[in-house]
Amino acid sequence: LPTLAYTQRTMLAIGLALYGAFSLQLLSPMSSVTTVLIVANPVTGALVSKSLWRLFGTVLGAASAVSLFAVFAQSPILFTVALSLCIALACVVSTLLRYFRAYGAVLAGYTIIIVASGSFADPQNIFIGALSRVSSVSVGLAATALVFLLTALPKPSRLEAGIEVLVRDVAAGFLAYRGHRAGWTDTLPRAELLRRANALDEQIVYAGADSTAVRARMMRLRRGAAGLLGLLSALEPLHDRLRQDDPDVDAARRIVHGIMEMLAGPTPGGLGGTLPRIEAARAEVRAIALRTTDPAALTVVVHEYDLLQQLAQAVGDLSGRGTGGARLRLLPYLDWSSAGRNGLRGGLVTLLGGLFWYVTQWPSGPTLLSYLIPAACLLSTNPSASQASLSFATGTLLAIPASLLAQTFLLPQIDGFPLLWGSLCLCLAPGIWLQFHPRHGLRAFGYVVFFNAMVNVHNPITFDDVALLNTWAAFAVGVVCLVLVFRVLLPVNPRREVARLAASLGRAVERLARLRASRRRAVWDTWQNRQMQKILRLLQRMGQVPGLDQVGPVQQAFAVVALGRVVLTLQALRREPALGGAGHDAVERALRALRRLRRSPERAAAAVKAAADAAEPLLPASDAAPAASPHPLRLLVGTLGEAVVLIAKAGPLLDRRGALARPPC
């Protein structure tokens, strides 16, 4: 039913956009239909965000097209080279950005060729073509917004419900693991929870575009979503091999288990109502840490205390009761390797298509470029552009017989606008219906977008069989060129990408250990958010490597992120005067070892263990007075013990000589 409602609303918006384009006598009325198909979204916030960025990208691309024509109107080779550089830049930027900002960069790139394609024969028409493109897109945006906003039924906010469900599932997964006592087997579904927590950030951004109330809380909500990501690394199954017969360990674990049981069930007071219970539990675990003297037990208790601390921060931010850090900016992970590869692909596709047109003087050369460039730009926003190119090309090929049927049997029978609207909706209905299907979405998107480009709909409609055959041939050649560049000339090596991301995780921890006291302290939320994005990409790449065991590397990657928090704790302890000279020496020894972590994880673990052994005799018997946190010496010993376990756990991924971190020859 939701898909049927979305399809009907999209068809209504198509009719309104096409009628408006014909009424205004625009040069390319089907561009308005394409705009509807691209920006239509059942989520109002996503529709608004994508519409704004589409308008911005269209204006920027139209201005760039006019500028290129003004400079290279008499130099086709130089124009092709300049266009290739512009498309390469657009692909790079779109790969680095997230959400619909990336789409704005994509649109700015391929609008250049869409505007220019109608003016190659007469460059003086470039300004009229630019205005026509902006007008067509504006009509499509207005029609889509009008239909979807007027037909949107008032619904309760799904954001709050989605947040509570995700927190509940994280707690339930934790309970399932702790109840199973699986040792080193990762029964906690952290990979799926990681994808959902990352999707929550996107949902918050779209909700902020639709609601002023959410926009006012958006930075804090995004920090809470990042806190959930960090919590997934804090749920690291490390300590089942450590002290389990110690009463302090059992007490701390029972307290944490009770909090997770509370979060896994229904919360009558909402998520914010659980915050006092979490704070009380944290105070109880803190009291246990103040009296624990056994180093192994202290490692477990400190870990449980840190877990509750992260949980309290995430729940506080998501419920609107958190404190501090509201203005924190969560910067995305900039994957320069993928961006450079996509930029090279986009530039190469443009250059090959332009040179092919220049050499052959094919009349459908502009049509070839009008397919190649948008397809390359749109694929650059996909996490796996090489694999996606085949689905996208398949959708384009399906549009060729569909446009043939429409041009041969439907359009010649039309004598009015209602029949035209009905015919287009009939042909576009399969693509609209499947556009949000996980398996066929990209194929359906390629079908609906380029079906519009192939169908010759103007006022009046003219039929030219030779021109139509040339158009279909141009799209077929474009499909071959696209797959050739993305899957043959510049394919992605998933095994090498896995090695690159694994090495990047290790280097990130080493950089944390190299921070100087005079420099600004790294913020955990920002750092771990970038590392979690790397793990998401790692999951995607490992799924493309046949025969690769994913459980072990994923578990090791989460351990690396947990190790980063340990390093930040050690950096904070460097400024604690209560440690004394011997305590500071232990901290410095551990940080020096962690700076060379990837050279030999075993040697680094041994050095950290030696630092922990040197700090153990300094432990006070007990802390008489209550404190806001465990004594720095207790925190130091527990943190160093946790670092030893984490390094042992993540060693195969950290070691630059290991099989996973070493790229294949």
Side-chain angles (χ1 to χ4, degrees), residues 177-196:
Y177 167 74
R178 286 286 175 94
H180 191 264
R181 294 298 178 110
W184 290 64
T185 302
D186 192 0
T187 60
L188 185 65
R190 287 182 296 177
E192 178 61 28
L193 292 174
L194 175 62
R195 296 187 182 96
R196 290 175 56 190

Side-chain angles (χ1 to χ4, degrees), residues 594-610:
L594 291 169
R595 290 166 192 159
R596 300 183 296 272
L597 182 62
R598 295 180 62 243
R599 296 182 184 179
S600 177
E602 297 84 3
R603 189 178 302 172
V608 175
K609 181 66 169 61

Side-chain angles (χ1 to χ4, degrees), residues 316-373:
D317 287 330
L318 291 173
S319 62
R321 301 186 184 183
T323 58
R327 295 185 179 275
L328 176 68
R329 291 189 63 189
L330 297 176
L331 301 177
Y333 165 57
L334 301 180
D335 193 351
W336 289 101
S337 176
S338 298
R341 181 168 55 248
N342 285 334
L344 187 59
R345 288 166 169 169
L348 183 60
V349 159
T350 305
L351 188 61
L352 290 177
L355 293 178
F356 178 80
W357 176 35
Y358 180 77
V359 171
T360 62
Q361 297 296 308
W362 189 18
S364 293
T367 305
L368 172 64
L369 290 176
S370 296
Y371 170 71
L372 278 177
I373 294 176

Side-chain angles (χ1 to χ4, degrees), residues 431-561:
I432 297 173
W433 184 273
L434 295 173
Q435 201 164 354
F436 289 96
H437 192 282
R439 184 176 178 181
H440 304 293
L442 193 60
R443 188 176 291 109
F445 181 74
Y447 169 82
V448 296
V449 169
F450 293 108
F451 172 84
N452 290 333
M454 296 180 195
V455 175
N456 182 22
V457 175
H458 294 281
N459 189 16
I461 297 178
T462 58
F463 298 95
D464 187 339
D465 293 340
V466 175
L468 288 174
L469 289 174
N470 270 315
T471 298
W472 294 325
F475 277 93
V477 172
V479 165
V480 173
C481 292
L482 186 74
V483 176
L484 179 67
V485 170
F486 275 77
R487 294 185 65 90
V488 179
L489 297 181
L490 292 172
V492 66
N493 187 331
R495 183 65 181 79
R496 188 178 296 276
E497 289 295 297
V498 169
R500 179 180 63 83
L501 291 168
S504 178
L505 286 169
R507 285 194 298 269
V509 176
E510 290 179 336
R511 283 194 293 268
L512 282 183
R514 294 192 184 100
L515 286 178
R516 298 178 181 177
S518 58
R519 295 183 58 187
R520 180 179 181 270
R521 181 185 172 191
V523 180
W524 162 248
D525 297 310
T526 302
W527 184 86
Q528 65 83 24
N529 186 59
R530 285 200 294 265
Q531 310 318 310
M532 288 298 183
Q533 292 179 46
K534 293 178 187 177
I535 297 178
L536 274 173
R537 287 168 171 77
L538 191 69
L539 287 168
Q540 294 166 352
R541 297 307 184 192
M542 285 193 299
Q544 301 170 14
V545 180
L548 179 64
D549 175 36
Q550 297 187 28
V551 175
V554 170
Q555 196 176 15
Q556 295 158 19
F558 278 107
V560 172
V561 179

Side-chain angles (χ1 to χ4, degrees), residues 408-429:
T408 304
F409 297 103
L410 296 181
L411 294 185
Q413 312 300 323
I414 290 172
D415 58 358
F417 179 80
L419 287 177
L420 174 62
W421 177 26
S423 301
L424 289 177
C425 289
L426 179 65
C427 296
L428 293 172

Side-chain angles (χ1 to χ4, degrees), residues 386-411:
S386 180
Q387 283 195 335
S389 63
L390 192 59
S391 297
F392 201 80
T394 304
T396 306
L397 289 178
L398 291 174
I400 293 178
S403 64
L404 173 63
L405 292 175
Q407 200 76 33
T408 304
F409 297 103
L410 296 181
L411 294 185

